[in-house]
Amino acid sequence: MTARRLHAAPERVAVTIDGEPAMLPAGESLATALLCEGHVLLRRSPRDGTPRGAFCFMGACQECAILVDGSVRQACLTPVTAGMAIELRGAP
Amino acid sequence: MMAAFDVIVLGAGPAGATCAATAAEAGRRVAVIDEQPRAGGQVWRAPMGGFPGKGDADQASGDTLRRRLAASPATRRLGHRVWSVVRTDTGYRVDTLGPDGPTALEAPFLVVATGAHERVVPFPGWTTPGVIGLAAATVLLKSHGVVPGRRLVVAGCGPLLAVVAAGLVKAGTEVAAVVDIAPRSAWLTRLPAILGQPRLAARGLAWGFAVAKAGVPVLSGHGVRRVEGGEAVTRVVIGPVDADGAPTEGPEQIIEADGLIIGHGLTTACEVTRLLRAEHRFDRLRGGWIPVVDGAFQTSLPGLHAIGDGAGIRGQAMASLAGEALGWHLAGRMAEAEATRANMAAATPFSDAMAGLMAQRPAQVRAIAADTVVCRCEDVTRAEIDSAVDAGATQIDQLKHFTRCGMGPCQGRSCADTVQELMAARLRMSRQEVGQWTGRPPLRPVPLGEVIGAFSYDDIPIPTPAPL
């Protein structure tokens, strides 16, 4: 799933994704920003370890719940802000 | 910290925002709460994060509603997540978590306008990253200006198929196929009801033309058999289905794609009325469990009203009218309320026709393969659900206890309709008899630290020690 923006992205801010520095558009929903950067796989399911990505994009399904600054956040409801530490390594 | 109002409205989509604006303009003290940062709901979802918007009819309608709500005296608590609703001596108390921390509101009247969730009937590979909902695709297109792939399959049933396929085509993305469970005849039999709403029929026709003009193959009477790729979608395998959505004999077709956009209709988001223990009944046409309401949209609990898709799937036109009618009613303007209610009758045939195309097909659910994951949160398969029933689970809450279905972070929002149908089928019971999961707080997951908020130990009163 290679996503594409239909408009110029807002100004980017520095974040880290799994410890690596990255630039994401400020104010965009984190799930959308990650999708546009090619992060389709966001986490692994707790029981079977199967790969998962954002599914409903409106706060219902919780599939995009990842670790942001150490606490579990739904990426689709979380706006990108400068300095976020994002972890995609299997938030519980 | 406690703010008092006459009416609290949960949800700022067409139903909730219209109700809030109407009642507030007529002099009531109204608060309207929504999880999203801007009003409009999913159907009129506002552009976000620098995206200027598509400038289409939905955006124009949403902008009109957003302007009306902003100009009204209603208090807007947008970007606020409701995690608890309780009955009090005088009405209802709503606890929210917003950007400025926890807040609580109280009012004698509570309006639940919480809309719908998308139903996706499970199939092998539906948890693969790159499979997203039809409604998710509309969020990305309308709100973020993002097309979610290079070559996509759009599949499922109902009017959203055409909306999404046309939106993707217009955005310049390749749609490899539109796969519709419904046979062409299902649309033809609904044509008279559709033509009864000429404006909406014309929009539907325009979507159809956009898809046809782009040369996108439309496969009616077909469903997704499985998705292949493992870590990301690479292929979608489809095959013929009968009118009830169950696979039939016939050749499979393999479609190369980098994403699958799928939805099988909508289910009511009635968590709040369930949590408050209002009376519900099962109505397959209306999207599942719906709160029982009277002529003034009041549930079995005094002061608790339910409108919009959360009170039964009827679509945007009916939701807006119900919001208007209830707004007048709560303001004591009975003549206006009655006049608005009368307009709802004219929109009913179209609304019923669309709801019929989106209603759950029990045969499609019964055809789910044994090793297919049904509960995404807890990785529970169809075989495990059947085993739990065979081991003696006869109540839906027992099934939750046996399997963990519905116990994950989504609290059964994604799987409830499927799990309850599977259980009813295996027990040869009705959906009404099998029941629904008991509503439990919190309504949505919230970090406990944020609910507690900032406090100082000095604020805690220390009782004077008793005299010795």
Side-chain angles (χ1 to χ4, degrees):
Chain A
M1 183 167 264
T2 313
R4 177 168 60 86
R5 286 191 185 84
L6 299 172
H7 64 108
E11 190 191 344
R12 287 169 186 264
V13 290
V15 299
T16 60
I17 302 174
D18 291 341
E20 299 291 321
M23 299 292 282
L24 294 180
E28 196 169 68
S29 103
L30 180 55
T32 308
L34 289 169
L35 180 67
C36 291
E37 294 302 307
H39 294 284
V40 184
L41 194 163
L42 296 184
R43 56 191 275 275
R44 289 187 178 272
S45 69
R47 187 175 166 203
D48 292 350
T50 52
R52 297 297 170 84
F55 183 59
C56 82
F57 282 91
M58 62 174 78
C61 79
Q62 315 286 325
E63 287 282 63
C64 67
I66 52 173
L67 282 175
V68 178
D69 297 332
S71 61
V72 179
R73 298 280 171 186
Q74 281 169 264
C76 71
L77 297 179
T78 306
V80 172
T81 54
M84 275 181 160
I86 301 152
E87 290 180 62
L88 306 181
R89 291 168 297 186
Chain B
M1 259 321 233
M2 186 82 72
F5 294 91
D6 299 320
V7 182
I8 299 169
V9 181
L10 304 183
T18 306
C19 179
T22 306
E25 287 160 4
R28 289 286 184 258
R29 291 174 304 162
V30 180
V32 56
I33 306 169
D34 199 292
E35 193 166 54
Q36 297 295 334
R38 298 185 67 192
Q42 301 304 332
V43 62
W44 290 340
R45 203 172 152 115
M48 276 180 62
F51 174 53
K54 292 170 72 190
D56 60 3
D58 281 339
Q59 195 187 333
S61 302
D63 287 344
T64 303
L65 183 64
R66 283 184 278 275
R67 275 196 298 270
R68 181 182 171 195
L69 186 65
S72 83
T75 299
R76 287 170 295 155
R77 293 274 172 90
L78 304 177
H80 284 247
R81 162 166 281 202
V82 174
W83 61 273
S84 166
V85 180
V86 292
R87 279 183 86 181
T88 65
D89 292 342
T90 53
Y92 297 89
R93 175 193 160 118
V94 176
D95 280 276
T96 72
L97 197 55
D100 45 358
T103 49
L105 289 77
E106 272 197 24
F109 293 98
L110 181 66
V111 176
V112 181
T114 44
H117 299 309
E118 188 158 53
R119 175 194 300 112
V120 180
V121 177
F123 49 86
W126 76 304
T127 56
T128 308
V131 178
I132 66 170
L134 287 171
T138 69
V139 167
L140 288 170
L141 282 167
K142 282 183 195 177
S143 192
H144 301 285
V146 165
V147 282
R150 282 201 184 118
R151 183 175 152 87
L152 298 161
V153 174
V154 179
C157 58
L160 260 185
L161 274 181
V163 179
V164 170
L168 292 171
V169 163
K170 282 179 188 161
T173 285
E174 186 184 358
V175 177
V178 173
V179 183
D180 187 358
I181 284 178
R184 271 174 224 280
S185 59
W187 287 93
L188 289 174
T189 54
R190 287 172 174 87
L191 211 51
I194 292 169
L195 293 174
Q197 295 281 310
R199 194 179 56 85
L200 297 174
R203 286 185 69 191
L205 213 56
W207 292 326
F209 274 134
V211 173
K213 199 177 149 201
V216 176
V218 178
L219 294 123
S220 298
H222 279 68
V224 173
R225 294 272 165 91
R226 62 186 179 277
V227 164
E228 295 177 353
E231 302 273 297
V233 177
T234 56
R235 278 198 297 267
V236 180
V237 181
I238 66 165
V241 295
D242 64 20
D244 293 323
T248 55
E249 290 291 315
E252 289 184 343
Q253 293 180 51
I254 297 167
I255 305 172
E256 307 280 336
D258 69 340
L260 168 64
I261 301 174
I262 189 154
H264 299 116
L266 303 174
T267 62
T268 49
C270 56
E271 293 96 323
V272 176
T273 50
R274 271 201 300 135
L275 183 68
L276 291 168
R277 307 291 184 260
E279 194 185 327
H280 289 71
R281 66 183 173 84
F282 181 76
D283 185 336
R284 197 179 299 281
L285 177 68
R286 295 273 168 245
W289 286 96
I290 60 175
V292 177
V293 295
D294 66 12
F297 310 100
Q298 181 170 282
T299 67
S300 59
L301 300 178
L304 179 67
H305 294 76
I307 49 170
D309 279 347
I313 306 298
R314 290 180 178 82
Q316 171 270 313
M318 293 285 270
S320 296
L321 286 168
E324 191 87 33
L326 179 57
W328 287 125
H329 180 88
L330 292 170
R333 303 269 286 268
M334 297 309 167
E336 287 95 335
E338 205 36 60
T340 311
R341 274 198 69 95
N343 290 336
M344 293 178 76
T348 298
F350 179 85
S351 149
D352 284 359
M354 292 302 114
L357 287 165
M358 293 195 291
Q360 189 206 49
R361 294 161 167 82
Q364 184 189 5
V365 175
R366 287 198 296 270
I368 296 171
D371 59 353
T372 301
V373 166
V374 173
C375 165
R376 296 173 70 103
C377 293
E378 300 286 340
D379 289 317
V380 182
T381 63
R382 193 242 162 106
E384 288 172 310
I385 293 164
D386 287 346
S387 304
V389 174
D390 296 345
T394 55
Q395 297 284 311
I396 195 68
D397 279 328
Q398 266 180 317
L399 190 86
K400 181 179 185 172
H401 174 71
F402 283 22
T403 63
R404 295 190 60 80
C405 260
M407 223 185 252
C410 96
Q411 291 283 290
R413 283 180 184 84
S414 306
C415 68
D417 192 53
T418 300
V419 173
Q420 291 164 16
E421 187 66 36
L422 285 171
M423 187 174 192
R426 196 138 183 114
L427 287 169
R428 298 177 192 281
M429 286 164 80
S430 71
R431 288 285 298 269
Q432 189 80 35
E433 287 172 305
V434 165
Q436 54 178 342
W437 283 314
T438 305
R440 300 281 182 208
L443 285 159
R444 297 265 173 128
V446 281
L448 204 51
E450 288 183 29
V451 171
I452 295 166
F455 70 97
S456 162
Y457 281 102
D458 295 339
D459 295 339
I460 301 172
I462 300 167
T464 313
L468 292 171

mmCIF file with all atom_site columns, all heavy atoms in Angstrom, chain B residues 257-268:
data_model
loop_
_atom_site.group_PDB
_atom_site.id
_atom_site.type_symbol
_atom_site.label_atom_id
_atom_site.label_alt_id
_atom_site.label_comp_id
_atom_site.label_asym_id
_atom_site.label_entity_id
_atom_site.label_seq_id
_atom_site.pdbx_PDB_ins_code
_atom_site.Cartn_x
_atom_site.Cartn_y
_atom_site.Cartn_z
_atom_site.occupancy
_atom_site.B_iso_or_equiv
_atom_site.pdbx_formal_charge
_atom_site.auth_seq_id
_atom_site.auth_comp_id
_atom_site.auth_asym_id
_atom_site.auth_atom_id
_atom_site.pdbx_PDB_model_num
ATOM 1  N N   . ALA B 1 257 ? -2.684  -6.309 -6.432 1.00 0.00 ? 257 ALA B N   1
ATOM 2  C CA  . ALA B 1 257 ? -3.030  -5.000 -5.872 1.00 0.00 ? 257 ALA B CA  1
ATOM 3  C C   . ALA B 1 257 ? -2.133  -4.725 -4.679 1.00 0.00 ? 257 ALA B C   1
ATOM 4  O O   . ALA B 1 257 ? -1.600  -5.660 -4.062 1.00 0.00 ? 257 ALA B O   1
ATOM 5  C CB  . ALA B 1 257 ? -4.488  -4.970 -5.439 1.00 0.00 ? 257 ALA B CB  1
ATOM 6  N N   . ASP B 1 258 ? -1.960  -3.440 -4.332 1.00 0.00 ? 258 ASP B N   1
ATOM 7  C CA  . ASP B 1 258 ? -1.178  -3.128 -3.121 1.00 0.00 ? 258 ASP B CA  1
ATOM 8  C C   . ASP B 1 258 ? -2.087  -2.711 -1.962 1.00 0.00 ? 258 ASP B C   1
ATOM 9  O O   . ASP B 1 258 ? -1.606  -2.317 -0.914 1.00 0.00 ? 258 ASP B O   1
ATOM 10 C CB  . ASP B 1 258 ? -0.084  -2.081 -3.397 1.00 0.00 ? 258 ASP B CB  1
ATOM 11 C CG  . ASP B 1 258 ? -0.639  -0.699 -3.680 1.00 0.00 ? 258 ASP B CG  1
ATOM 12 O OD1 . ASP B 1 258 ? -1.827  -0.596 -4.039 1.00 0.00 ? 258 ASP B OD1 1
ATOM 13 O OD2 . ASP B 1 258 ? 0.114   0.278  -3.551 1.00 0.00 ? 258 ASP B OD2 1
ATOM 14 N N   . GLY B 1 259 ? -3.392  -2.850 -2.168 1.00 0.00 ? 259 GLY B N   1
ATOM 15 C CA  . GLY B 1 259 ? -4.304  -2.569 -1.062 1.00 0.00 ? 259 GLY B CA  1
ATOM 16 C C   . GLY B 1 259 ? -5.702  -3.064 -1.370 1.00 0.00 ? 259 GLY B C   1
ATOM 17 O O   . GLY B 1 259 ? -6.088  -3.191 -2.540 1.00 0.00 ? 259 GLY B O   1
ATOM 18 N N   . LEU B 1 260 ? -6.450  -3.376 -0.306 1.00 0.00 ? 260 LEU B N   1
ATOM 19 C CA  . LEU B 1 260 ? -7.858  -3.767 -0.447 1.00 0.00 ? 260 LEU B CA  1
ATOM 20 C C   . LEU B 1 260 ? -8.678  -2.850 0.449  1.00 0.00 ? 260 LEU B C   1
ATOM 21 O O   . LEU B 1 260 ? -8.368  -2.682 1.633  1.00 0.00 ? 260 LEU B O   1
ATOM 22 C CB  . LEU B 1 260 ? -8.061  -5.225 -0.011 1.00 0.00 ? 260 LEU B CB  1
ATOM 23 C CG  . LEU B 1 260 ? -9.525  -5.661 0.151  1.00 0.00 ? 260 LEU B CG  1
ATOM 24 C CD1 . LEU B 1 260 ? -10.274 -5.620 -1.170 1.00 0.00 ? 260 LEU B CD1 1
ATOM 25 C CD2 . LEU B 1 260 ? -9.600  -7.063 0.757  1.00 0.00 ? 260 LEU B CD2 1
ATOM 26 N N   . ILE B 1 261 ? -9.700  -2.256 -0.149 1.00 0.00 ? 261 ILE B N   1
ATOM 27 C CA  . ILE B 1 261 ? -10.587 -1.380 0.615  1.00 0.00 ? 261 ILE B CA  1
ATOM 28 C C   . ILE B 1 261 ? -11.934 -2.076 0.672  1.00 0.00 ? 261 ILE B C   1
ATOM 29 O O   . ILE B 1 261 ? -12.545 -2.332 -0.367 1.00 0.00 ? 261 ILE B O   1
ATOM 30 C CB  . ILE B 1 261 ? -10.662 0.002  -0.054 1.00 0.00 ? 261 ILE B CB  1
ATOM 31 C CG1 . ILE B 1 261 ? -9.250  0.576  -0.101 1.00 0.00 ? 261 ILE B CG1 1
ATOM 32 C CG2 . ILE B 1 261 ? -11.589 0.917  0.712  1.00 0.00 ? 261 ILE B CG2 1
ATOM 33 C CD1 . ILE B 1 261 ? -9.131  1.852  -0.840 1.00 0.00 ? 261 ILE B CD1 1
ATOM 34 N N   . ILE B 1 262 ? -12.387 -2.395 1.888  1.00 0.00 ? 262 ILE B N   1
ATOM 35 C CA  . ILE B 1 262 ? -13.544 -3.291 2.005  1.00 0.00 ? 262 ILE B CA  1
ATOM 36 C C   . ILE B 1 262 ? -14.490 -2.870 3.125  1.00 0.00 ? 262 ILE B C   1
ATOM 37 O O   . ILE B 1 262 ? -14.062 -2.357 4.156  1.00 0.00 ? 262 ILE B O   1
ATOM 38 C CB  . ILE B 1 262 ? -13.064 -4.753 2.212  1.00 0.00 ? 262 ILE B CB  1
ATOM 39 C CG1 . ILE B 1 262 ? -14.240 -5.721 2.114  1.00 0.00 ? 262 ILE B CG1 1
ATOM 40 C CG2 . ILE B 1 262 ? -12.304 -4.922 3.534  1.00 0.00 ? 262 ILE B CG2 1
ATOM 41 C CD1 . ILE B 1 262 ? -13.870 -7.102 1.680  1.00 0.00 ? 262 ILE B CD1 1
ATOM 42 N N   . GLY B 1 263 ? -15.783 -3.082 2.893  1.00 0.00 ? 263 GLY B N   1
ATOM 43 C CA  . GLY B 1 263 ? -16.779 -2.831 3.933  1.00 0.00 ? 263 GLY B CA  1
ATOM 44 C C   . GLY B 1 263 ? -18.072 -3.549 3.588  1.00 0.00 ? 263 GLY B C   1
ATOM 45 O O   . GLY B 1 263 ? -18.441 -3.640 2.425  1.00 0.00 ? 263 GLY B O   1
ATOM 46 N N   . HIS B 1 264 ? -18.715 -4.093 4.620  1.00 0.00 ? 264 HIS B N   1
ATOM 47 C CA  . HIS B 1 264 ? -19.971 -4.822 4.408  1.00 0.00 ? 264 HIS B CA  1
ATOM 48 C C   . HIS B 1 264 ? -21.117 -4.135 5.124  1.00 0.00 ? 264 HIS B C   1
ATOM 49 O O   . HIS B 1 264 ? -21.908 -4.780 5.813  1.00 0.00 ? 264 HIS B O   1
ATOM 50 C CB  . HIS B 1 264 ? -19.825 -6.273 4.876  1.00 0.00 ? 264 HIS B CB  1
ATOM 51 C CG  . HIS B 1 264 ? -18.756 -7.037 4.142  1.00 0.00 ? 264 HIS B CG  1
ATOM 52 N ND1 . HIS B 1 264 ? -17.632 -7.529 4.756  1.00 0.00 ? 264 HIS B ND1 1
ATOM 53 C CD2 . HIS B 1 264 ? -18.642 -7.356 2.830  1.00 0.00 ? 264 HIS B CD2 1
ATOM 54 C CE1 . HIS B 1 264 ? -16.871 -8.141 3.855  1.00 0.00 ? 264 HIS B CE1 1
ATOM 55 N NE2 . HIS B 1 264 ? -17.460 -8.059 2.680  1.00 0.00 ? 264 HIS B NE2 1
ATOM 56 N N   . GLY B 1 265 ? -21.200 -2.834 5.008  1.00 0.00 ? 265 GLY B N   1
ATOM 57 C CA  . GLY B 1 265 ? -22.302 -2.100 5.632  1.00 0.00 ? 265 GLY B CA  1
ATOM 58 C C   . GLY B 1 265 ? -21.911 -1.514 6.967  1.00 0.00 ? 265 GLY B C   1
ATOM 59 O O   . GLY B 1 265 ? -20.730 -1.477 7.333  1.00 0.00 ? 265 GLY B O   1
ATOM 60 N N   . LEU B 1 266 ? -22.894 -1.042 7.689  1.00 0.00 ? 266 LEU B N   1
ATOM 61 C CA  . LEU B 1 266 ? -22.648 -0.328 8.940  1.00 0.00 ? 266 LEU B CA  1
ATOM 62 C C   . LEU B 1 266 ? -23.400 -0.981 10.090 1.00 0.00 ? 266 LEU B C   1
ATOM 63 O O   . LEU B 1 266 ? -24.472 -1.550 9.904  1.00 0.00 ? 266 LEU B O   1
ATOM 64 C CB  . LEU B 1 266 ? -23.105 1.131  8.805  1.00 0.00 ? 266 LEU B CB  1
ATOM 65 C CG  . LEU B 1 266 ? -22.478 1.944  7.675  1.00 0.00 ? 266 LEU B CG  1
ATOM 66 C CD1 . LEU B 1 266 ? -23.136 3.312  7.579  1.00 0.00 ? 266 LEU B CD1 1
ATOM 67 C CD2 . LEU B 1 266 ? -20.977 2.087  7.865  1.00 0.00 ? 266 LEU B CD2 1
ATOM 68 N N   . THR B 1 267 ? -22.802 -0.905 11.280 1.00 0.00 ? 267 THR B N   1
ATOM 69 C CA  . THR B 1 267 ? -23.500 -1.334 12.496 1.00 0.00 ? 267 THR B CA  1
ATOM 70 C C   . THR B 1 267 ? -23.645 -0.120 13.411 1.00 0.00 ? 267 THR B C   1
ATOM 71 O O   . THR B 1 267 ? -22.825 0.796  13.377 1.00 0.00 ? 267 THR B O   1
ATOM 72 C CB  . THR B 1 267 ? -22.728 -2.441 13.241 1.00 0.00 ? 267 THR B CB  1
ATOM 73 O OG1 . THR B 1 267 ? -21.468 -1.920 13.644 1.00 0.00 ? 267 THR B OG1 1
ATOM 74 C CG2 . THR B 1 267 ? -22.514 -3.654 12.365 1.00 0.00 ? 267 THR B CG2 1
ATOM 75 N N   . THR B 1 268 ? -24.692 -0.130 14.212 1.00 0.00 ? 268 THR B N   1
ATOM 76 C CA  . THR B 1 268 ? -24.954 1.001  15.096 1.00 0.00 ? 268 THR B CA  1
ATOM 77 C C   . THR B 1 268 ? -23.894 1.085  16.191 1.00 0.00 ? 268 THR B C   1
ATOM 78 O O   . THR B 1 268 ? -23.464 0.072  16.735 1.00 0.00 ? 268 THR B O   1
ATOM 79 C CB  . THR B 1 268 ? -26.312 0.827  15.779 1.00 0.00 ? 268 THR B CB  1
ATOM 80 O OG1 . THR B 1 268 ? -26.363 -0.498 16.330 1.00 0.00 ? 268 THR B OG1 1
ATOM 81 C CG2 . THR B 1 268 ? -27.446 0.988  14.795 1.00 0.00 ? 268 THR B CG2 1
#
